[in-house]
Coordinates of all heavy atoms in Angstrom, one line a residue:
M1 N 10.2 -6.6 1.5 CA 10.4 -7.2 0.3 C 10.4 -6.2 -0.8 O 9.6 -5.3 -0.8 CB 9.4 -8.3 0.1 CG 9.6 -9.2 -1.1 SD 8.7 -10.7 -1.1 CE 9.6 -11.6 0.1
S2 N 11.2 -6.3 -1.8 CA 11.3 -5.4 -2.9 C 10.9 -6.1 -4.2 O 11.7 -6.7 -4.9 CB 12.7 -4.8 -3.0 OG 12.8 -3.8 -4.0
P3 N 9.6 -5.9 -4.6 CA 9.2 -6.6 -5.8 C 10.0 -6.3 -7.1 O 10.1 -7.1 -8.0 CB 7.7 -6.1 -6.0 CG 7.3 -5.7 -4.7 CD 8.6 -5.2 -4.0
D4 N 10.5 -5.1 -7.2 CA 11.3 -4.7 -8.4 C 12.5 -5.5 -8.6 O 13.0 -5.5 -9.7 CB 11.6 -3.2 -8.3 CG 12.5 -2.8 -7.2 OD1 12.4 -3.5 -6.1 OD2 13.3 -1.9 -7.3
T5 N 12.9 -6.3 -7.6 CA 14.1 -7.2 -7.8 C 13.6 -8.6 -8.2 O 14.4 -9.5 -8.4 CB 14.9 -7.3 -6.6 OG1 14.1 -7.9 -5.5 CG2 15.4 -5.9 -6.2
M6 N 12.3 -8.9 -8.3 CA 11.8 -10.2 -8.6 C 11.2 -10.3 -10.0 O 10.7 -9.3 -10.5 CB 10.6 -10.5 -7.6 CG 11.0 -10.4 -6.1 SD 9.5 -10.4 -5.0 CE 8.8 -12.0 -5.4
P7 N 11.2 -11.5 -10.6 CA 10.6 -11.6 -11.9 C 9.1 -11.4 -11.7 O 8.5 -11.6 -10.6 CB 10.8 -13.1 -12.2 CG 11.9 -13.5 -11.4 CD 11.9 -12.7 -10.1
F8 N 8.4 -10.9 -12.8 CA 7.0 -10.5 -12.7 C 6.1 -11.6 -12.2 O 5.3 -11.4 -11.4 CB 6.6 -10.0 -14.1 CG 5.2 -9.4 -14.0 CD1 4.9 -8.3 -13.3 CD2 4.2 -10.0 -14.8 CE1 3.6 -7.7 -13.2 CE2 2.9 -9.5 -14.7 CZ 2.6 -8.3 -14.0
R9 N 6.3 -12.8 -12.7 CA 5.5 -14.0 -12.2 C 5.6 -14.2 -10.7 O 4.7 -14.5 -10.1 CB 5.8 -15.2 -13.0 CG 5.3 -15.2 -14.4 CD 5.6 -16.6 -15.1 NE 5.3 -16.5 -16.5 CZ 4.6 -17.3 -17.1 NH1 4.1 -18.3 -16.5 NH2 4.3 -17.2 -18.4
A10 N 6.8 -14.0 -10.2 CA 7.1 -14.2 -8.8 C 6.4 -13.1 -8.0 O 5.8 -13.3 -6.9 CB 8.5 -14.2 -8.5
Q11 N 6.3 -11.9 -8.6 CA 5.6 -10.8 -8.0 C 4.1 -11.1 -7.9 O 3.5 -10.9 -6.8 CB 5.8 -9.5 -8.8 CG 7.2 -8.9 -8.8 CD 7.3 -7.7 -9.7 OE1 6.4 -6.9 -9.7 NE2 8.4 -7.5 -10.3
L12 N 3.6 -11.6 -9.0 CA 2.2 -11.9 -9.0 C 1.8 -13.0 -8.0 O 0.8 -13.0 -7.3 CB 1.7 -12.3 -10.4 CG 1.8 -11.2 -11.4 CD1 1.2 -11.6 -12.7 CD2 1.0 -9.9 -10.9
A13 N 2.7 -14.0 -7.9 CA 2.4 -15.1 -7.0 C 2.5 -14.6 -5.5 O 1.6 -15.0 -4.7 CB 3.5 -16.2 -7.2
M14 N 3.4 -13.8 -5.2 CA 3.5 -13.2 -3.9 C 2.3 -12.4 -3.5 O 1.7 -12.5 -2.5 CB 4.8 -12.3 -3.8 CG 4.9 -11.7 -2.4 SD 6.3 -10.5 -2.3 CE 5.8 -9.3 -3.5
V15 N 1.9 -11.5 -4.5 CA 0.7 -10.7 -4.2 C -0.6 -11.5 -4.1 O -1.4 -11.3 -3.2 CB 0.6 -9.6 -5.3 CG1 -0.8 -8.9 -5.3 CG2 1.7 -8.6 -5.3
R16 N -0.7 -12.5 -4.9 CA -1.9 -13.4 -4.9 C -2.0 -14.1 -3.5 O -3.1 -14.4 -3.1 CB -1.8 -14.4 -6.0 CG -3.0 -15.2 -6.3 CD -4.0 -14.3 -7.0 NE -5.2 -15.1 -7.3 CZ -6.4 -14.6 -7.4 NH1 -6.6 -13.3 -7.2 NH2 -7.4 -15.3 -7.6
Q17 N -0.9 -14.4 -2.9 CA -0.9 -15.1 -1.6 C -1.0 -14.2 -0.4 O -1.3 -14.6 0.7 CB 0.4 -15.9 -1.4 CG 0.6 -17.0 -2.4 CD 1.9 -17.6 -2.3 OE1 2.5 -17.7 -1.2 NE2 2.5 -18.0 -3.4
S18 N -0.9 -12.9 -0.7 CA -0.9 -11.9 0.4 C -2.3 -11.6 0.9 O -3.2 -11.4 0.2 CB -0.2 -10.6 0.0 OG 1.1 -10.8 -0.4
R19 N -2.3 -11.4 2.2 CA -3.6 -11.0 2.8 C -3.7 -9.5 3.0 O -4.7 -8.9 2.8 CB -3.7 -11.7 4.2 CG -5.0 -11.5 4.9 CD -5.1 -12.3 6.1 NE -6.3 -11.9 6.8 CZ -6.6 -12.3 8.0 NH1 -5.7 -13.1 8.6 NH2 -7.7 -12.0 8.6
V20 N -2.5 -8.9 3.2 CA -2.4 -7.4 3.3 C -1.2 -7.0 2.5 O -0.1 -7.5 2.6 CB -2.2 -7.0 4.7 CG1 -2.1 -5.5 4.8 CG2 -3.4 -7.4 5.6
L21 N -1.4 -6.0 1.6 CA -0.4 -5.3 0.9 C -0.2 -3.9 1.4 O -1.1 -3.2 1.5 CB -0.7 -5.3 -0.6 CG 0.2 -4.6 -1.5 CD1 1.6 -5.3 -1.6 CD2 -0.4 -4.4 -2.9
I22 N 1.1 -3.6 1.8 CA 1.4 -2.3 2.3 C 2.4 -1.7 1.3 O 3.4 -2.3 1.1 CB 1.9 -2.3 3.7 CG1 1.0 -2.9 4.6 CG2 2.3 -0.9 4.2 CD1 1.5 -3.3 6.0
G23 N 2.2 -0.5 0.8 CA 3.1 0.1 -0.1 C 3.0 1.6 -0.2 O 2.0 2.2 0.2
F24 N 4.1 2.2 -0.7 CA 4.1 3.6 -0.9 C 3.5 3.9 -2.2 O 3.6 3.1 -3.2 CB 5.5 4.1 -0.8 CG 5.6 5.6 -0.5 CD1 5.4 6.1 0.7 CD2 6.0 6.5 -1.5 CE1 5.4 7.4 1.0 CE2 6.0 7.8 -1.3 CZ 5.8 8.3 0.0
H25 N 2.8 5.1 -2.3 CA 2.1 5.5 -3.5 C 3.1 5.3 -4.7 O 4.2 5.8 -4.7 CB 1.7 6.9 -3.4 CG 1.0 7.4 -4.7 ND1 -0.3 7.2 -4.9 CD2 1.6 8.1 -5.7 CE1 -0.6 7.8 -6.1 NE2 0.5 8.3 -6.6
G26 N 2.6 4.6 -5.7 CA 3.4 4.4 -6.9 C 2.8 3.3 -7.8 O 1.9 2.6 -7.4
A27 N 3.4 3.0 -8.9 CA 2.9 2.1 -9.9 C 2.8 0.7 -9.4 O 1.8 -0.1 -9.7 CB 3.8 2.1 -11.1
A28 N 3.6 0.3 -8.4 CA 3.5 -1.1 -7.9 C 2.2 -1.4 -7.1 O 1.8 -2.5 -7.0 CB 4.7 -1.4 -7.0
M29 N 1.5 -0.3 -6.7 CA 0.3 -0.5 -6.0 C -0.8 -1.1 -7.0 O -1.7 -1.7 -6.5 CB -0.3 0.8 -5.5 CG 0.6 1.4 -4.4 SD 0.8 0.4 -3.0 CE -0.8 0.3 -2.3
A30 N -0.6 -1.1 -8.3 CA -1.5 -1.7 -9.2 C -1.5 -3.2 -9.1 O -2.4 -3.9 -9.6 CB -1.1 -1.3 -10.6
H31 N -0.5 -3.8 -8.3 CA -0.6 -5.2 -8.1 C -1.8 -5.6 -7.3 O -2.2 -6.8 -7.3 CB 0.7 -5.6 -7.2 CG 1.9 -5.8 -8.0 ND1 2.7 -4.7 -8.3 CD2 2.5 -6.9 -8.5 CE1 3.7 -5.1 -9.0 NE2 3.6 -6.4 -9.1
L32 N -2.5 -4.7 -6.7 CA -3.8 -5.0 -6.0 C -4.8 -5.7 -6.9 O -5.7 -6.4 -6.5 CB -4.3 -3.8 -5.3 CG -5.0 -2.7 -6.1 CD1 -6.5 -3.0 -6.4 CD2 -4.9 -1.4 -5.4
L33 N -4.7 -5.4 -8.2 CA -5.6 -6.0 -9.2 C -5.5 -7.6 -9.2 O -6.4 -8.2 -9.6 CB -5.3 -5.6 -10.6 CG -5.6 -4.1 -10.9 CD1 -5.0 -3.7 -12.2 CD2 -7.1 -3.9 -10.8
F34 N -4.4 -8.1 -8.7 CA -4.2 -9.6 -8.7 C -4.5 -10.2 -7.3 O -4.3 -11.4 -7.1 CB -2.8 -9.9 -9.2 CG -2.5 -9.3 -10.5 CD1 -1.8 -8.1 -10.7 CD2 -3.0 -10.0 -11.7 CE1 -1.6 -7.6 -11.9 CE2 -2.8 -9.4 -12.9 CZ -2.1 -8.2 -13.1
M35 N -4.9 -9.4 -6.3 CA -5.2 -9.9 -5.0 C -6.6 -10.6 -4.9 O -7.5 -10.2 -5.7 CB -5.0 -8.8 -4.0 CG -3.6 -8.2 -3.9 SD -3.4 -6.9 -2.7 CE -3.3 -7.9 -1.2
H36 N -6.7 -11.4 -4.0 CA -8.0 -12.0 -3.7 C -9.0 -10.9 -3.2 O -8.5 -10.0 -2.5 CB -7.9 -13.2 -2.6 CG -7.3 -14.4 -3.2 ND1 -8.0 -15.3 -4.0 CD2 -6.0 -14.9 -3.1 CE1 -7.2 -16.3 -4.3 NE2 -6.0 -16.1 -3.8
P37 N -10.3 -11.1 -3.5 CA -11.2 -10.0 -3.0 C -11.3 -9.8 -1.5 O -11.7 -8.8 -1.1 CB -12.6 -10.6 -3.6 CG -12.2 -11.4 -4.7 CD -10.9 -12.0 -4.3
D38 N -10.9 -10.8 -0.7 CA -10.9 -10.7 0.7 C -9.6 -10.1 1.3 O -9.4 -10.0 2.5 CB -11.2 -12.0 1.4 CG -10.2 -13.1 1.1 OD1 -9.4 -12.9 0.2 OD2 -10.1 -14.1 1.9
A39 N -8.7 -9.7 0.4 CA -7.4 -9.1 0.8 C -7.6 -7.6 1.1 O -8.7 -7.0 0.8 CB -6.4 -9.3 -0.3
S40 N -6.6 -7.0 1.7 CA -6.6 -5.5 2.0 C -5.3 -4.9 1.5 O -4.3 -5.5 1.5 CB -6.7 -5.4 3.5 OG -7.9 -6.0 4.0
V41 N -5.4 -3.6 1.3 CA -4.3 -2.8 0.8 C -4.2 -1.5 1.7 O -5.2 -0.8 1.9 CB -4.5 -2.4 -0.7 CG1 -3.4 -1.4 -1.1 CG2 -4.4 -3.6 -1.5
L42 N -3.0 -1.2 2.1 CA -2.7 0.1 2.8 C -1.7 0.8 1.9 O -0.6 0.4 1.8 CB -2.1 -0.2 4.2 CG -1.6 1.1 5.0 CD1 -2.8 2.1 5.1 CD2 -1.1 0.6 6.3
E43 N -2.2 1.9 1.4 CA -1.3 2.8 0.6 C -0.8 3.9 1.4 O -1.6 4.7 2.0 CB -2.1 3.4 -0.6 CG -1.2 4.3 -1.4 CD -2.0 5.0 -2.5 OE1 -3.2 4.8 -2.7 OE2 -1.3 5.8 -3.3
L44 N 0.5 4.0 1.5 CA 1.2 5.1 2.2 C 1.5 6.2 1.2 O 2.0 5.9 0.1 CB 2.4 4.7 2.9 CG 2.3 3.5 3.9 CD1 3.6 3.0 4.4 CD2 1.3 3.8 5.0
T45 N 1.2 7.4 1.5 CA 1.4 8.5 0.6 C 1.7 9.8 1.3 O 1.5 9.9 2.5 CB 0.1 8.7 -0.3 OG1 0.4 9.6 -1.4 CG2 -1.1 9.1 0.5
L46 N 2.2 10.8 0.5 CA 2.4 12.1 1.0 C 1.1 12.9 0.9 O 0.3 12.6 0.0 CB 3.5 12.8 0.3 CG 4.9 12.2 0.4 CD1 5.9 12.8 -0.5 CD2 5.4 12.3 1.9
P47 N 0.9 13.9 1.8 CA -0.4 14.6 1.7 C -0.7 15.2 0.3 O -1.9 15.2 -0.1 CB -0.2 15.7 2.7 CG 0.8 15.2 3.7 CD 1.7 14.3 2.9
R48 N 0.3 15.6 -0.5 CA 0.0 16.1 -1.8 C -0.6 15.1 -2.7 O -1.2 15.5 -3.8 CB 1.2 16.8 -2.4 CG 2.3 15.8 -2.7 CD 3.4 16.5 -3.4 NE 4.4 15.5 -3.7 CZ 5.7 15.7 -3.5 NH1 6.1 16.8 -3.0 NH2 6.6 14.7 -3.8
F49 N -0.4 13.8 -2.5 CA -1.0 12.8 -3.3 C -2.3 12.2 -2.8 O -2.9 11.3 -3.4 CB 0.0 11.6 -3.5 CG 1.3 12.0 -4.2 CD1 2.5 11.8 -3.6 CD2 1.3 12.6 -5.5 CE1 3.7 12.2 -4.2 CE2 2.4 13.0 -6.1 CZ 3.6 12.8 -5.5
A50 N -2.7 12.6 -1.6 CA -3.8 12.0 -0.9 C -5.1 12.1 -1.7 O -6.0 11.3 -1.5 CB -4.0 12.6 0.5
G51 N -5.3 13.1 -2.5 CA -6.5 13.2 -3.3 C -6.6 12.3 -4.5 O -7.6 12.2 -5.2
R52 N -5.5 11.6 -4.8 CA -5.5 10.8 -6.0 C -6.2 9.5 -5.7 O -5.8 8.8 -4.8 CB -4.1 10.6 -6.5 CG -3.4 11.9 -6.9 CD -2.1 11.7 -7.5 NE -1.5 13.0 -7.9 CZ -0.3 13.1 -8.4 NH1 0.4 12.0 -8.7 NH2 0.1 14.3 -8.7
T53 N -7.1 9.1 -6.5 CA -8.0 7.9 -6.2 C -7.8 6.8 -7.2 O -8.6 5.9 -7.3 CB -9.4 8.3 -6.2 OG1 -9.8 8.9 -7.5 CG2 -9.7 9.4 -5.1
N54 N -6.7 6.8 -7.9 CA -6.4 5.7 -8.9 C -6.6 4.3 -8.3 O -7.3 3.5 -8.9 CB -5.0 5.7 -9.5 CG -4.4 7.1 -9.6 OD1 -4.6 7.9 -8.8 ND2 -3.7 7.3 -10.6
Y55 N -6.0 4.1 -7.2 CA -6.0 2.8 -6.6 C -7.3 2.5 -5.8 O -7.6 1.3 -5.7 CB -4.7 2.6 -5.7 CG -3.5 2.9 -6.5 CD1 -2.6 3.9 -6.2 CD2 -3.2 2.1 -7.7 CE1 -1.5 4.2 -7.0 CE2 -2.0 2.3 -8.4 CZ -1.2 3.4 -8.1 OH -0.1 3.7 -8.9
V56 N -7.9 3.5 -5.4 CA -9.2 3.3 -4.7 C -10.2 2.7 -5.7 O -10.9 1.8 -5.4 CB -9.8 4.7 -4.2 CG1 -11.2 4.5 -3.7 CG2 -8.9 5.3 -3.2
A57 N -10.2 3.3 -7.0 CA -11.1 2.7 -8.0 C -10.8 1.3 -8.4 O -11.7 0.5 -8.5 CB -11.0 3.6 -9.2
M58 N -9.5 1.0 -8.4 CA -9.1 -0.4 -8.7 C -9.5 -1.3 -7.6 O -10.0 -2.4 -7.9 CB -7.5 -0.5 -8.8 CG -7.0 0.1 -10.1 SD -5.2 -0.2 -10.0 CE -4.7 0.9 -11.4
A59 N -9.4 -0.9 -6.4 CA -9.8 -1.8 -5.3 C -11.3 -2.0 -5.3 O -11.7 -3.1 -5.0 CB -9.3 -1.1 -3.9
R60 N -12.0 -1.0 -5.5 CA -13.5 -1.1 -5.6 C -13.9 -2.1 -6.7 O -14.8 -2.9 -6.5 CB -14.2 0.2 -5.9 CG -14.3 1.1 -4.7 CD -15.2 2.3 -5.0 NE -15.0 3.2 -3.9 CZ -14.9 4.5 -4.1 NH1 -14.8 5.0 -5.3 NH2 -14.7 5.3 -3.1
G61 N -13.2 -2.1 -7.8 CA -13.5 -3.0 -8.9 C -13.1 -4.5 -8.6 O -13.7 -5.4 -9.2
T62 N -12.2 -4.7 -7.7 CA -11.8 -6.0 -7.4 C -12.4 -6.6 -6.0 O -12.2 -7.8 -5.7 CB -10.3 -6.1 -7.3 OG1 -9.8 -5.3 -6.3 CG2 -9.6 -5.8 -8.6
G63 N -13.0 -5.7 -5.2 CA -13.5 -6.1 -3.9 C -12.4 -6.1 -2.8 O -12.7 -6.4 -1.7
V64 N -11.3 -5.6 -3.1 CA -10.2 -5.5 -2.1 C -10.5 -4.3 -1.2 O -10.9 -3.2 -1.7 CB -8.8 -5.3 -2.8 CG1 -7.7 -4.9 -1.8 CG2 -8.5 -6.6 -3.6
T65 N -10.3 -4.5 0.1 CA -10.4 -3.4 1.1 C -9.2 -2.5 0.9 O -8.1 -2.9 0.9 CB -10.5 -3.9 2.5 OG1 -11.6 -4.8 2.6 CG2 -10.6 -2.8 3.5
F66 N -9.5 -1.2 0.9 CA -8.4 -0.2 0.6 C -8.4 0.9 1.6 O -9.5 1.5 1.9 CB -8.6 0.4 -0.8 CG -7.5 1.3 -1.2 CD1 -6.4 0.8 -1.9 CD2 -7.5 2.7 -0.9 CE1 -5.4 1.6 -2.3 CE2 -6.5 3.5 -1.3 CZ -5.4 3.0 -2.0
L67 N -7.2 1.2 2.2 CA -7.1 2.4 3.0 C -5.9 3.2 2.5 O -4.9 2.6 2.1 CB -6.8 2.0 4.5 CG -7.9 1.5 5.3 CD1 -7.4 1.1 6.7 CD2 -9.0 2.5 5.4
M68 N -6.0 4.5 2.6 CA -4.9 5.4 2.2 C -4.5 6.1 3.5 O -5.4 6.6 4.2 CB -5.3 6.4 1.1 CG -4.2 7.3 0.7 SD -4.7 8.6 -0.4 CE -5.0 7.6 -1.9
H69 N -3.2 6.2 3.7 CA -2.7 6.9 4.9 C -1.7 7.9 4.5 O -0.6 7.6 3.9 CB -2.1 5.9 5.9 CG -1.6 6.5 7.2 ND1 -2.4 7.1 8.1 CD2 -0.3 6.7 7.6 CE1 -1.6 7.6 9.1 NE2 -0.4 7.4 8.8
A70 N -2.0 9.2 4.7 CA -1.1 10.3 4.3 C 0.0 10.5 5.4 O -0.4 10.6 6.6 CB -1.8 11.6 4.1
L71 N 1.2 10.4 5.1 CA 2.3 10.6 6.0 C 2.8 12.0 6.0 O 2.6 12.8 5.0 CB 3.5 9.7 5.5 CG 3.2 8.2 5.4 CD1 4.3 7.5 4.7 CD2 3.0 7.6 6.8
D72 N 3.4 12.5 7.0 CA 4.0 13.8 7.1 C 5.5 13.7 6.6 O 6.2 12.9 7.1 CB 4.0 14.3 8.5 CG 2.6 14.6 9.0 OD1 1.8 15.0 8.2 OD2 2.4 14.4 10.2
A73 N 5.8 14.6 5.7 CA 7.2 14.7 5.3 C 7.9 15.5 6.4 O 7.5 16.6 6.8 CB 7.3 15.4 4.0
R74 N 8.9 14.9 7.0 CA 9.6 15.4 8.2 C 10.6 16.5 7.8 O 10.9 17.4 8.5 CB 10.2 14.3 9.0 CG 9.2 13.3 9.5 CD 8.4 13.7 10.6 NE 7.6 12.6 11.1 CZ 6.3 12.6 11.3 NH1 5.6 13.6 11.0 NH2 5.7 11.6 11.8
S75 N 11.3 16.2 6.7 CA 12.3 17.2 6.2 C 12.6 17.0 4.7 O 12.0 16.1 4.1 CB 13.6 16.9 7.0 OG 14.1 15.6 6.7
E76 N 13.3 17.8 4.2 CA 13.7 17.7 2.8 C 15.2 17.7 2.6 O 15.9 18.4 3.3 CB 13.1 18.9 2.0 CG 11.6 18.9 2.0 CD 11.0 19.9 1.1 OE1 11.7 20.5 0.2 OE2 9.8 20.2 1.2
E77 N 15.6 16.9 1.7 CA 17.0 16.8 1.3 C 17.1 17.0 -0.2 O 16.9 16.1 -1.0 CB 17.6 15.4 1.7 CG 17.7 15.2 3.2 CD 18.2 13.8 3.5 OE1 18.8 13.1 2.6 OE2 18.1 13.4 4.7
G78 N 17.3 18.3 -0.6 CA 17.3 18.6 -2.0 C 15.9 18.4 -2.5 O 14.9 19.0 -2.0
D79 N 15.7 17.6 -3.6 CA 14.4 17.4 -4.1 C 13.7 16.2 -3.5 O 12.6 15.8 -3.9 CB 14.5 17.1 -5.6 CG 14.9 18.3 -6.4 OD1 14.7 19.5 -5.9 OD2 15.5 18.2 -7.5
T80 N 14.3 15.6 -2.5 CA 13.7 14.4 -1.9 C 13.1 14.7 -0.5 O 13.7 15.4 0.3 CB 14.9 13.3 -1.7 OG1 15.5 13.1 -2.9 CG2 14.3 12.1 -1.1
E81 N 11.9 14.3 -0.3 CA 11.2 14.4 1.0 C 11.5 13.2 1.8 O 11.4 12.0 1.3 CB 9.7 14.6 0.8 CG 9.4 15.9 0.1 CD 7.9 16.0 -0.2 OE1 7.5 15.5 -1.3 OE2 7.1 16.4 0.7
V82 N 12.0 13.4 3.0 CA 12.3 12.3 3.9 C 11.1 12.1 4.8 O 10.6 13.0 5.5 CB 13.5 12.6 4.8 CG1 13.8 11.5 5.7 CG2 14.7 12.9 3.8
V83 N 10.6 10.8 4.8 CA 9.4 10.5 5.6 C 9.8 9.4 6.7 O 10.5 8.5 6.4 CB 8.4 9.9 4.7 CG1 7.1 9.5 5.5 CG2 8.0 10.9 3.6
T84 N 9.4 9.7 7.9 CA 9.6 8.7 8.9 C 8.2 8.1 9.3 O 7.3 8.8 9.5 CB 10.2 9.4 10.2 OG1 11.4 10.0 9.8 CG2 10.4 8.4 11.3
V85 N 8.2 6.8 9.4 CA 6.9 6.1 9.7 C 7.1 5.4 11.0 O 8.0 4.6 11.2 CB 6.5 5.1 8.6 CG1 5.2 4.4 9.0 CG2 6.4 5.8 7.3
S86 N 6.3 5.7 12.0 CA 6.3 5.0 13.2 C 5.4 3.8 13.2 O 4.2 4.0 12.8 CB 5.9 6.0 14.3 OG 5.6 5.3 15.5
P87 N 5.9 2.6 13.5 CA 5.0 1.5 13.5 C 3.8 1.6 14.4 O 2.7 1.1 14.1 CB 5.9 0.4 14.1 CG 7.3 0.8 13.8 CD 7.3 2.3 13.9
S88 N 3.9 2.4 15.5 CA 2.7 2.6 16.3 C 1.7 3.4 15.6 O 0.5 3.3 16.0 CB 3.1 3.3 17.6 OG 3.7 4.6 17.4
D89 N 2.0 4.2 14.6 CA 1.0 5.0 13.9 C 0.3 4.0 12.9 O -0.9 4.3 12.6 CB 1.7 6.1 13.0 CG 2.2 7.2 13.9 OD1 1.9 7.3 15.1 OD2 3.1 8.0 13.4
L90 N 1.0 3.0 12.5 CA 0.3 2.1 11.5 C -0.4 0.9 12.1 O -1.3 0.3 11.5 CB 1.4 1.5 10.6 CG 2.2 2.5 9.7 CD1 3.2 1.8 8.8 CD2 1.2 3.4 8.9
L91 N -0.1 0.6 13.4 CA -0.7 -0.5 14.0 C -2.3 -0.5 14.0 O -2.9 -1.5 13.6 CB -0.2 -0.7 15.4 CG -0.6 -2.0 16.2 CD1 -0.1 -3.2 15.4 CD2 0.0 -2.0 17.5
P92 N -2.9 0.6 14.3 CA -4.4 0.6 14.3 C -4.9 0.3 12.9 O -5.9 -0.3 12.7 CB -4.8 2.0 14.7 CG -3.6 2.5 15.4 CD -2.4 1.9 14.8
L93 N -4.2 0.8 11.8 CA -4.6 0.6 10.5 C -4.5 -0.9 10.1 O -5.4 -1.5 9.5 CB -3.8 1.4 9.5 CG -3.9 2.9 9.7 CD1 -2.9 3.7 8.9 CD2 -5.3 3.4 9.4
L94 N -3.4 -1.5 10.5 CA -3.2 -2.9 10.2 C -4.1 -3.8 11.0 O -4.6 -4.8 10.5 CB -1.7 -3.3 10.6 CG -0.7 -2.6 9.8 CD1 0.7 -3.0 10.3 CD2 -0.8 -3.0 8.3
E95 N -4.5 -3.4 12.2 CA -5.5 -4.2 13.0 C -6.8 -4.1 12.3 O -7.6 -5.1 12.3 CB -5.5 -3.7 14.4 CG -4.3 -4.2 15.2 CD -4.2 -3.6 16.6 OE1 -5.0 -2.7 16.9 OE2 -3.4 -4.2 17.4
Y96 N -7.1 -3.0 11.7 CA -8.4 -2.9 11.0 C -8.4 -3.7 9.7 O -9.4 -4.4 9.4 CB -8.6 -1.4 10.6 CG -9.8 -1.2 9.7 CD1 -11.1 -1.2 10.2 CD2 -9.6 -1.0 8.4 CE1 -12.2 -1.0 9.4 CE2 -10.7 -0.8 7.5 CZ -12.0 -0.8 8.0 OH -13.1 -0.7 7.2
L97 N -7.3 -3.7 9.0 CA -7.2 -4.4 7.7 C -7.1 -6.0 7.9 O -7.6 -6.7 7.1 CB -6.0 -3.9 6.9 CG -6.2 -2.5 6.4 CD1 -4.9 -2.1 5.7 CD2 -7.3 -2.4 5.4
A98 N -6.4 -6.4 9.0 CA -6.2 -7.8 9.2 C -6.5 -8.1 10.6 O -5.5 -8.4 11.4 CB -4.8 -8.2 8.8
P99 N -7.7 -8.2 11.0 CA -8.1 -8.5 12.4 C -7.6 -9.9 12.8 O -7.6 -10.8 11.9 CB -9.6 -8.3 12.5 CG -10.1 -8.4 11.1 CD -8.9 -8.0 10.2
R100 N -7.2 -10.0 14.0 CA -6.8 -11.4 14.5 C -8.0 -12.3 14.6 O -9.1 -11.8 15.0 CB -6.1 -11.2 15.8 CG -4.8 -10.5 15.8 CD -4.1 -10.5 17.1 NE -2.9 -9.7 16.9 CZ -2.5 -8.7 17.7 NH1 -3.3 -8.3 18.7 NH2 -1.4 -8.1 17.5
E101 N -7.8 -13.5 14.2 CA -8.9 -14.4 14.2 C -9.0 -15.2 15.5 O -8.1 -15.3 16.2 CB -8.7 -15.4 13.0 CG -8.8 -14.7 11.7 CD -8.4 -15.6 10.6 OE1 -8.3 -16.8 10.8 OE2 -8.4 -15.1 9.4

């Protein structure tokens, strides 16, 4: 789902209903401020951004569980880093954030 194509109120409603939010490092991660305290966030980031704790502090303030996962940039195309994410790499993180009941 691409929140940037949705009206802001629809974005907030979607986030408020979400149990887990997964997103790439960027401003949209601030949506975690509107999540329920029992929700979880997985921020995907490049290693060079892994030390930035903006969203960690927000999560602590709201009670949301937060994990950051640094991805490896596999190649570069001009100024763009191309990242490949294997679902099998993310599965243990998702199972931690949203255990089956």
Side-chain angles (χ1 to χ4, degrees):
M1 188 163 284
S2 184
D4 60 328
T5 63
M6 302 168 62
F8 187 64
R9 285 181 190 234
Q11 292 176 37
L12 295 184
M14 178 185 64
V15 168
R16 191 77 177 147
Q17 296 173 35
S18 299
R19 186 170 171 191
V20 176
L21 174 67
I22 303 169
F24 200 73
H25 177 85
M29 294 303 293
H31 280 83
L32 72 87
L33 291 170
F34 302 99
M35 297 181 78
H36 286 282
D38 61 343
S40 300
V41 173
L42 173 58
E43 177 185 2
L44 304 174
T45 188
L46 295 172
R48 68 173 179 227
F49 298 123
R52 297 186 181 180
T53 59
N54 328 37
Y55 305 115
V56 174
M58 287 182 192
R60 281 191 192 132
T62 61
V64 170
T65 300
F66 184 90
L67 285 180
M68 180 185 291
H69 180 69
L71 303 167
D72 292 325
R74 305 283 190 231
S75 63
E76 293 186 19
E77 295 178 11
D79 293 335
T80 304
E81 291 175 272
V82 178
V83 178
T84 303
V85 180
S86 168
S88 62
D89 292 343
L90 298 181
L91 190 56
L93 300 170
L94 295 175
E95 288 175 343
Y96 172 79
L97 291 173
R100 294 186 180 126
E101 297 175 4

